[in-house]
Amino acid sequence: MEYALFYAEGDDPVAYVPAADDIGDWVDDLQARGASEYGERLRPEQDATTVRMRGGQLLVTDGPFTESKESIGGFDIIDVADLDEAIEIASRHPAAAFGRVEVRPFVQWPGADPAERVVPAGFAELGSSGRRYLMLVIAEQRAERAVIGDIGDGEAAPTDDGVSDDPDAWVDEMDARGARLFGEVLHGPADATFVRRREGEVLVSDGPFAEAKEWIAGFDLLEVRDLAEAVEVASKHPMARGGTLELRPLWPFDVHDDHVARDEREAAERGIRVEPSAAEALDTVVGAGR
């Protein structure tokens, strides 16, 4: 069974100690068990960009969808026997010791091939030909249907800007142009599990990251030319009209690196935005008539 693991600071963070970071050992173990599909670290929250469509107007802003401490710092997609194994794996991730890990199951669609996986086979070994962003699909409670979509044969109604409300149409278009690498819908917040490790004890609780009306309903990995194209891709997603799309650039690193030295190298990049501004991206999209 496949699960997404999201890493965040949480509401009781402990200071991160680079010298105690054993992420390399965690990754090696996960791969040896055959449980790892794909995972990445994300640029800090100041490099997030949110995209919404309201009344036919494209709204793009700097920053994450929430101002709480729940901004996601990275993710993994794992394939394990059951939730117990997913929790055990999550509990040993370094983030569980200074933040917390959210374990989320993917939706199992009726009629889907049980052998099919979220991440295409061999994807982790493929090189990148563009800039990659994790696009988080953020639902509001009143907009849940727009995220999950209709899985029947009915035709989705067009929106007021002429774009279909059918998420499958967006998937087909972005797959065809090579902008979407993979993605899937997640079970709702009621099926989320928190995992933390404090003073040697594993603490497990139920519920989503943030006690708010917004929650992560799914995600897609995009490969595009730049932030402007990522914004244009996100603006066409049905949830842009009823929720929010958050674009987070990946922040690759060597899991076997000296994490003390890495943390020192990256200190200057924390707290500042290195992505183009949302205004610049929006101007490019509008100027290109996308």
Side-chain angles (χ1 to χ4, degrees), residues 191-274:
D191 294 319
T193 303
F194 284 150
V195 182
R196 295 175 295 147
R197 192 173 69 250
R198 297 292 185 270
E199 298 180 354
E201 182 180 1
V202 175
L203 307 174
V204 179
S205 57
D206 297 329
F209 262 143
E211 296 296 332
K213 64 179 181 179
E214 299 166 313
W215 50 281
I216 299 170
F219 61 86
D220 295 272
L221 187 67
L222 308 180
E223 186 168 274
V224 292
R225 292 186 301 276
D226 51 26
L227 178 60
E229 185 179 7
V231 167
E232 180 258 334
V233 168
S235 72
K236 294 185 174 182
H237 193 285
M239 183 43 61
R241 289 147 188 84
T244 302
L245 286 306
E246 180 179 316
L247 298 167
R248 296 287 298 278
L250 305 189
W251 198 11
F253 75 115
D254 181 355
V255 298
H256 297 291
D257 197 2
D258 179 334
H259 297 301
V260 174
R262 173 186 57 78
D263 192 64
E264 292 174 352
R265 288 195 309 270
E266 295 175 347
E269 297 185 39
R270 299 183 184 276
I272 61 172
R273 184 177 175 95
V274 300

Side-chain angles (χ1 to χ4, degrees), residues 271-288:
I272 61 172
R273 184 177 175 95
V274 300
E275 284 284 284
S277 72
E280 291 173 316
L282 179 57
D283 286 345
T284 301
V285 173
V286 173

Side-chain angles (χ1 to χ4, degrees), residues 36 142 176 178 264:
S36 177
R142 61 180 177 81
E264 292 174 352

Side-chain angles (χ1 to χ4, degrees), residues 3 20 53 63 72 95 108 132 177 188 198 206 237 252 283:
Y3 293 87
M53 291 287 292
I72 294 172
Q108 305 290 308
R132 290 182 176 178
R177 63 188 262 189
R198 297 292 185 270
D206 297 329
H237 193 285
D283 286 345

